[in-house]
Amino acid sequence: MTGAVVTNALSKRYGANTALAPLTLSVGAGEVFGLIGPNGAGKTTFMRLLLDIIRPTGGSARVLGEDPRRGGAPLRRRVGYLPGELRLESRARAGELLEHYARISGPVRPGATERLAERLQLDLGQQVGKLSKGNKQKVGLVQAFMHQPELLVLDEPTSGLDPLVQKEFLA
């Protein structure tokens, strides 16, 4: 199988507990793919395995044609990631933090961060540690999208967003 994401019997166990039962799938370039399931079904575990945040117990994965375990920083720069539990505590302003992320994630087109922030109604001048959950989520979304990655891995991306911002995100 070829695709943006390809797994073959990818699994994760913690002792006797199965966090992700063997999963085989292929997601093609340009496709939108969503994982739906109850809490504890392995959705977040799956995403973390794709990004080499955690290592699989069994099976294999290919992300953008590469093994996540060997792809390292160059592969991660090609992926936009928003974790389900985004923790942002900083005295930096949102714009400063996003500039820092831009240096890490790769080239960001001039004005891209500001355009995304405007679409999501995010004030880049606010101190990150004082932002509401919804506004922190907006920082995470801007960070995930700003470098125009080849692949987006978004874990509960609309969590904490008000309905109007959710609508804009979906647009």
Side-chain angles (χ1 to χ4, degrees):
M1 287 189 273
T2 61
V5 173
V6 177
T7 67
N8 184 24
L10 185 66
S11 65
K12 180 66 177 177
R13 294 185 59 80
Y14 294 99
N17 296 317
T18 300
L20 180 67
L23 177 63
T24 299
L25 62 80
S26 179
V27 180
E31 289 183 17
V32 174
F33 180 83
L35 291 172
I36 300 173
N39 292 341
K43 301 176 300 290
T44 296
T45 298
F46 173 71
M47 290 180 222
R48 290 176 176 169
L49 288 166
L50 291 181
L51 298 166
D52 196 39
I53 296 170
I54 59 175
R55 297 283 170 94
T57 305
S60 64
R62 307 277 304 164
V63 174
L64 301 172
E66 297 187 46
D67 180 342
R69 294 179 70 176
R70 293 181 182 81
L75 175 59
R76 286 190 295 275
R77 285 187 190 100
R78 298 170 60 198
V79 178
Y81 174 57
L82 177 66
E85 296 178 17
L86 182 63
R87 291 184 182 97
L88 296 176
E89 296 302 325
S90 175
R91 286 186 273 184
R93 307 225 175 269
E96 296 166 342
L97 185 61
L98 289 167
E99 287 173 14
H100 170 72
Y101 288 149
R103 288 189 294 274
I104 294 169
S105 65
V108 175
R109 290 186 179 158
T113 301
E114 292 78 9
R115 284 189 296 279
L116 287 166
E118 184 176 329
R119 282 188 73 179
L120 296 175
Q121 301 170 11
L122 171 65
D123 181 353
L124 296 174
Q126 292 295 310
Q127 189 176 346
V128 173
K130 295 181 179 178
L131 292 174
S132 67
K133 177 183 177 6
N135 281 317
K136 287 179 181 178
Q137 189 76 355
K138 292 175 188 180
V139 171
L141 286 168
V142 171
Q143 179 275 320
F145 280 81
M146 69 186 181
H147 65 290
Q148 296 183 309
E150 295 172 56
L151 175 67
L152 288 164
V153 177
L154 308 173
D155 193 352
E156 300 189 30
T158 60
S159 175
L161 298 179
D162 68 60
L164 293 176
V165 176
Q166 287 183 20
K167 184 177 177 183
E168 183 58 31
F169 167 77
L170 295 172

